[in-house]
Amino acid sequence: MSDTTTTAASQLPTGEPNISHDNRRYWEATAEGRIELPRCTACDLVIWYPRSICPDCQSMDLSWETMSGNGTVYSYTITRAGVGRKWREHLPLVVAYVQLDEGPIVLTNIVDTDPSIIEIGMAVTAVFHDTGHPISDEDGAPNSAILRFTSVS
Amino acid sequence: MTQRSRAFIAGAYEHPLRTIPDKTVPQIHAEVAIGALADAGLTMADVDAYYSAGDAPGFGALSMIDYLGLDVSHVDDTETGGSSYLVHVRHAAEAIAAGNIDVALITLAGNPRSGGAGPGGSARFSSAPEASFENFFGMGVIGGYAMAAQRHMHEFGTTGADLAEIKVAASTHAQHNPNALLQDVVTVEQVLESRMISDPLHLLDACVITDGGGALVVVSEAVANDLERHTIPVLGTGEAIKGTNAGRVDLTHTAAVVSGPAAFAEAGVTPADIDYASIYDSFTITVLVTLEDLGFCEKGKGGEFVRDGALQAPFGKLPFNTDGGGLCNNHPANRGGMTKVIEAVRQLRGEAHPAVQVPDCKLALAHGTGGSMATRVGSSTLILGREV
Ligand SMILES: [Zn+2]
């Protein structure tokens, strides 16, 4: 499983997620350094992004499963300009679509990886960046985290 | 088989300015509405249907109908991003076919070049179910299209020079448009040497940011017959949405693979019959993928298709965006669909600039690509003809 700790240098900007009935399990899992996604009990589809309905068969009977955290790069771009202020000090920034081994292709960043070695098909593994925002109002609730990836090698 | 009542584009107007710091967005909506109605030979009092999209401020059509002083019996606020206005033409044609309306007014306006806010409002976008899964990665608009370009290059061997050909053709046309924001002809080398914004897309692969707007008037055959202006029959239309498909992301197709064939089938024509095409050009890659999706060439062969001036008017095999398109002329309110229809109307009326007018232009296609190719895209295709 992936390392949940990251150094300040590699931490990219985050934000406060909209935690809702659609996605609460996902964000709770990120606080533990895991990816949990809904799987449709009727048609077996693993669903990204997390939600309350299967978009293939419209069943609302979903179970939640932990993903391996491993995947490959489906596409990427090295962004050098044209982003909002909070991203500018982090340029060049690698934005990517990563295909999880379980199937879904997720929007993310590739971090702690020399941009010049990134290519489509490259193996990557999950890392989590603390959002600074607790997953609930309860005392001592852990913070949610943003899912990013780094090269395996 | 019953013959549907036909719809005609009777009025088309593009705001001449590209920077409008001293006017409000509703005011620009009003100016283009008046312009398109005057072009048709109609007035606000003739309008019985109004169409607007996310660029209309406040409550959208509800606010604009009140602002303009319209009295309508039909309203449509369909929002598919920059393709909305082609969808509106389709919906107006359907309402005309149903016998419900006679004169539809469609308007677009915005002032992002002068720092105006984008449509929709941040609250609307941040409450989207996908928001927290897409908004925290610094993916700007160009970043999503850059990933589409990267994937296309990987799968099909498309090159940056192929994409640059599209910008070169647009710039060749824009030199003849005195209102175009960018009027200098550029070369493939200049595109490739322009600043890399988001690999593999350069600054010159991206559309312009402009203030402005445009409007269309779509009328029934009965109204068209009474007008002196050259009216343009709507022969075929299509609309389709493609999303992230539960995580089965596909960056090398848009929903044009559905909207295009629907429009061609309704019109009873094929891509080979098209004399002129207005293709949505938020970025060069948008054009390349759309040409493939619409069937002008096979999937993956777009790079080959656009080489050797194929898109250049008047004698290329498929003259496109003869106003200079979004890449050089105008992309008002960050939405390029309206101007795509307007230039197609100019071509069919024989009113494009003489240097880029396609000789004997009888059949034109206009296509819009809204939202983002990287996530959720709204595609709409129109096939337009020439009155005989
Ligand atoms: Zn299902």
Side-chain angles (χ1 to χ4, degrees):
Chain A
M1 200 54 235
S2 308
D3 186 352
T4 62
T5 61
T6 53
T7 64
S10 71
Q11 170 97 17
L12 289 177
T14 59
E16 182 171 7
N18 286 327
I19 300 181
S20 70
H21 187 71
D22 268 327
N23 58 39
R24 185 173 307 281
R25 282 283 293 265
Y26 173 85
W27 293 109
E28 288 172 352
T30 65
E32 300 169 4
R34 291 184 298 113
I35 308 168
E36 255 193 61
L37 292 183
R39 184 192 286 275
C40 177
T41 58
C43 78
D44 218 34
L45 179 71
V46 177
I47 299 162
W48 179 266
Y49 55 89
R51 70 193 81 173
S52 303
I53 184 169
C54 170
D56 270 17
C57 76
Q58 285 69 46
S59 169
M60 297 185 82
D61 189 5
L62 312 178
S63 63
W64 288 76
E65 280 182 23
T66 296
M67 305 289 115
S68 67
N70 298 320
T72 53
V73 174
Y74 169 80
S75 194
Y76 70 98
T77 181
I78 304 167
T79 294
R80 301 162 193 278
V83 290
R85 184 171 306 152
K86 75 174 179 178
W87 296 95
R88 282 178 203 154
E89 63 185 277
H90 300 281
L91 298 176
L93 171 75
V94 181
V95 180
Y97 268 117
V98 165
Q99 181 158 33
L100 304 181
D101 284 357
E102 292 82 0
I105 298 174
V106 308
L107 188 63
T108 189
N109 301 113
I110 308 293
V111 298
D112 300 327
T113 303
D114 177 359
S116 70
I117 70 160
I118 296 172
E119 54 185 18
I120 289 173
M122 188 176 84
V124 291
T125 192
V127 296
F128 293 86
H129 287 179
D130 189 336
T131 66
H133 296 281
I135 57 171
S136 76
D137 294 337
E138 286 170 34
D139 284 348
N143 289 342
S144 59
I146 301 299
L147 171 62
R148 294 185 165 119
F149 289 82
T150 188
S151 75
V152 168
S153 53
Chain B
M1 188 174 137
T2 55
Q3 180 71 42
R4 278 175 37 159
S5 305
R6 292 198 302 165
F8 295 77
I9 299 177
Y13 181 79
E14 179 183 15
H15 201 290
L17 300 180
R18 302 294 176 263
T19 308
I20 314 176
D22 54 343
K23 288 179 179 170
T24 67
V25 171
Q27 194 174 4
I28 303 169
H29 274 278
E31 290 185 355
V32 296
I34 290 166
L37 286 163
D39 182 49
L42 294 166
T43 71
M44 292 275 188
D46 297 310
V47 173
D48 61 2
Y50 178 70
Y51 295 73
S52 66
D55 57 280
F59 224 115
L62 212 51
S63 294
M64 291 312 306
I65 286 166
D66 187 37
Y67 179 89
L68 294 170
L70 294 170
D71 180 9
V72 302
S73 57
H74 187 101
V75 59
D76 185 330
D77 240 341
T78 300
E79 165 68 321
T80 61
S83 60
S84 301
Y85 319 94
L86 293 93
V87 175
H88 295 162
V89 170
R90 171 178 161 91
H91 291 185
E94 289 169 348
I96 286 166
N100 291 339
I101 65 168
D102 281 303
V103 178
L105 171 66
I106 307 165
T107 66
L108 156 78
N111 54 7
R113 189 168 182 82
S114 297
S122 58
R124 181 169 173 179
F125 284 116
S126 64
S127 65
E130 69 273 14
S132 296
F133 302 96
E134 297 178 359
N135 292 356
F136 300 139
F137 304 106
M139 183 180 78
V141 177
I142 192 170
Y145 284 80
M147 285 196 287
Q150 191 87 272
R151 186 72 200 183
H152 203 279
M153 290 175 170
H154 173 78
E155 286 190 30
F156 305 116
T158 306
T159 67
D162 294 337
L163 295 178
E165 292 277 6
I166 295 164
K167 170 73 174 187
V168 169
S171 75
T172 303
H173 301 153
Q175 68 178 315
H176 304 293
N177 181 351
N179 293 333
L181 187 75
L182 307 176
Q183 296 176 21
D184 292 338
V185 176
V186 299
T187 64
V188 168
E189 291 68 31
Q190 283 174 299
V191 176
L192 295 178
E193 285 163 15
S194 68
R195 193 157 58 106
M196 187 68 90
I197 304 295
S198 199
D199 300 48
L201 297 183
H202 304 78
L203 180 64
L204 295 187
D205 286 299
C207 65
V208 298
I209 293 174
T210 49
D211 301 341
L216 297 166
V217 178
V218 184
V219 303
S220 63
E221 188 150 18
V223 171
N225 288 341
D226 285 344
L227 296 175
E228 306 211 335
R229 193 72 166 109
H230 187 155
T231 57
I232 301 301
V234 179
L235 303 178
T237 67
E239 69 184 80
I241 305 292
K242 174 174 171 285
T244 54
N245 196 13
R248 289 162 296 200
V249 171
D250 160 24
L251 294 181
T252 57
H253 295 82
T254 71
V257 296
V258 177
S259 69
F264 282 118
E266 188 185 9
V269 301
T270 70
D273 299 321
I274 298 297
D275 299 312
Y276 164 81
S278 280
I279 305 288
Y280 202 93
D281 55 347
S282 45
F283 299 93
T284 51
I285 184 66
T286 322
V287 176
L288 190 106
V289 171
T290 303
L291 289 169
E292 296 172 352
D293 289 348
L294 291 174
F296 288 105
C297 62
E298 271 175 59
K299 179 51 65 182
K301 303 280 195 205
E304 208 172 290
F305 183 85
V306 301
R307 280 173 212 156
D308 305 321
L311 300 178
Q312 291 186 30
F315 301 118
K317 65 185 163 191
L318 183 68
F320 101 125
N321 297 8
T322 40
D323 59 340
L327 290 170
C328 297
N329 170 33
N330 197 8
H331 199 68
N334 301 327
R335 288 159 171 254
M338 176 65 74
T339 44
K340 295 296 161 293
V341 183
I342 293 170
E343 183 66 5
V345 168
R346 289 192 192 106
Q347 280 286 349
L348 290 163
R349 282 171 165 172
E351 296 175 358
H353 188 282
V356 294
Q357 174 67 49
V358 174
D360 195 28
C361 184
K362 291 192 288 290
L363 201 57
L365 174 146
H367 183 84
T369 309
S372 171
M373 263 183 71
T375 55
R376 280 152 292 279
V377 61
S379 296
S380 184
T381 313
L382 304 178
I383 310 285
L384 306 174
R386 194 169 66 181
E387 207 176 11
V388 287

